[in-house]
Amino acid sequence: MESPAHTRSANHYADAPPSAAAPREQGFGTGLYAVVLVLAAAIFGVGIYLAAQRQGWAMLAAGSASVVAVLITWPIAAALGHGRAAEARLQQELSTTLAERLQQISVMLNVITEQQMLSDRAKQVAFRDKDRDALRRAIKEDLARRDFEGALVLVDEMERVFGYRQEAATFRDEINDYRQELLRREIVGATAQIDTFCRQEKWSEALREAERLSRIYPGSEQVQHLPQDIETRRQGTKRQLLDAFNEAVARKDVDGGIEILKKLDIYLTRTEAEQLQEAARGVFKEKLNQLAAQFTLAVQDRKWAEAIRVGDIITRDFPNSGIAREVREKMDTLRTKAGEPELARA
C-alpha cells in the first residue's frame, strides 16, 4: 500500500505544469550532447595520433564521423527542444484560458441554478398581475364566443389560484345574466317563429323548431312546454274547424262544408273520421245533386260550354257515382254540339 508521502509526491509531479518539465528535459539533452562531443573529439585525437604513427586510418575516420554526426544532430535536437518548450508554453496558455472560461461558465450555471430554484409560489407572486390580467381577457373572450362553460372554468381558476372570491362571484353573475339574456332572446325569436307556423297550420315545422330548442336548452322549463303548447293550439284549431263544419251543415252551406272537410283531413284520427263520415257523405251527396241539377239545366238551355264544365267537375270529383257514368255518356255529344273536337274518353 502506498504511503501518504508517496502519494503527495506523485500528485506533485502529475500536477506540475509542462513549462517546468520542458527546461529540465532541454538541459539534460544539452549535457548529453556535450559528453558525446567530448568522446567523439577524444576518438578523433587518438585517430590523429595513430595516423601519425602510421598505425592505420580507421580510428581517425571513426573519430571524424563521430564529430560530424554530433555537430549535425546537436542543432536539430536543440531546435526540437525549443519547439517542445514553445508547445509547452502554448499548452499552459490554453490551459489558463480554458480554466478562466470554465470559471465563468460555472458562475453562470450557478446563477441559472439559483433562478430555477425559485419556488412556483415565488414565480406566481412575481407574475401575479400579468397572469390575472391575461385570465380576465380570456374570460371575456370566452363570453364573446358564448363559451359559457369555458368562462366558468377560468373563473374557478381565478378564485382557486389567485384567491379573488369577490371578483370571481361578479364574473359568475355576469356570465349567468348574459346566458339568461341570450336564452330569452333565442326563445322569444323561436317562439315567434313557432307562432307563425301555428297560424299557418304548419304543425310539423312548429314541432321541429320546438325539438331543436329542447336540444339546445334542455334545462329551460319554457322550452320544455313548447310541444304541449303547440299540441294545445292544434287541438284548438281542430275544434274550431269541427264547429265551423257543423254550422255549415246546419245552414246547408255545401261548398263551405266541403272546404272545411278538406282542412279537417290532417287533424282527424281514424275514430274521429268514422264519427264524421255520415255527415260528410251527406255534404258530398248534396254537392253531387247540385252539380247534377246544374248539368241538366245547362243541357236543357243548350249551354253546351257550361254543361261540359259542370260535367268535367262531376266526372273528376265523383268518378264512381251513377250520375258520373250518365254524364260521361253525354260528353262526346255535348262537345260535338259545342263545336269542339271529340276527345278520347278518360
Side-chain angles (χ1 to χ4, degrees), residues 7-25:
T7 302
R8 287 194 299 271
S9 177
N11 290 336
H12 172 74
Y13 285 111
D15 296 337
S19 59
R24 288 197 297 268
E25 293 177 358

Side-chain angles (χ1 to χ4, degrees), residues 18 22 35 38 40 93 150 239 296 339:
V35 172
V38 170
E93 292 176 358
R239 285 193 299 270
T296 301

Side-chain angles (χ1 to χ4, degrees), residues 78-267:
L80 292 175
H82 287 297
R84 286 196 297 270
E87 183 180 359
R89 286 194 300 272
L90 180 59
Q91 289 179 355
Q92 184 178 8
E93 292 176 358
L94 290 176
S95 298
T96 302
T97 303
L98 181 60
E100 292 176 355
R101 294 296 184 185
L102 290 176
Q103 182 65 25
Q104 294 175 358
I105 293 173
S106 177
V107 172
M108 293 176 64
L109 288 176
N110 288 334
V111 173
I112 294 173
T113 302
E114 290 176 358
Q115 292 178 351
Q116 291 295 326
M117 290 176 63
L118 288 173
S119 65
D120 292 339
R121 185 60 180 171
K123 292 179 181 178
Q124 290 178 0
V125 172
F127 300 102
R128 187 181 187 89
D129 293 338
K130 292 183 179 179
D131 290 345
R132 184 180 59 184
D133 292 340
L135 199 57
R136 288 171 176 167
R137 288 194 299 271
I139 292 172
K140 292 180 179 179
E141 289 174 359
D142 284 346
L143 276 178
R145 294 194 302 268
R146 300 185 182 182
D147 184 6
F148 302 114
E149 298 301 328
L152 288 174
V153 169
L154 294 177
V155 170
D156 292 340
E157 184 176 352
M158 172 181 285
E159 182 177 4
R160 178 177 55 83
V161 176
F162 297 100
Y164 292 106
R165 294 185 177 86
Q166 185 62 38
E167 186 173 2
T170 302
F171 266 122
R172 289 192 185 95
D173 292 340
E174 181 180 349
I175 292 170
N176 290 329
D177 291 343
Y178 187 41
R179 173 185 281 179
Q180 292 300 321
E181 177 62 20
L182 288 178
L183 173 61
R184 186 190 65 80
R185 293 179 184 176
E186 180 76 13
I187 293 175
V188 168
T191 303
Q193 183 63 51
I194 290 173
D195 180 69
T196 301
F197 287 144
C198 290
R199 284 188 282 104
Q200 296 173 351
E201 299 184 28
K202 297 180 178 179
W203 308 109
S204 299
E205 289 83 347
L207 283 174
R208 281 197 294 269
E209 182 67 14
E211 291 172 356
R212 185 186 70 85
L213 285 179
S214 298
R215 290 192 298 269
I216 298 176
Y217 304 106
S220 173
E221 184 176 355
Q222 182 180 358
V223 170
Q224 296 303 318
H225 289 164
L226 283 176
Q228 183 60 43
D229 295 341
I230 294 171
E231 182 60 23
T232 300
R233 294 184 63 174
R234 181 178 177 276
Q235 292 297 328
T237 301
K238 182 174 73 172
R239 285 193 299 270
Q240 291 176 1
L241 290 173
L242 286 172
D243 293 340
F245 175 74
N246 292 328
E247 292 176 359
V249 171
R251 65 175 181 267
K252 296 183 179 181
D253 182 4
V254 177
D255 292 334
I258 291 176
E259 290 299 322
I260 294 172
L261 281 175
K262 292 178 180 178
K263 293 181 179 180
L264 272 172
D265 186 60
I266 62 174
Y267 293 92

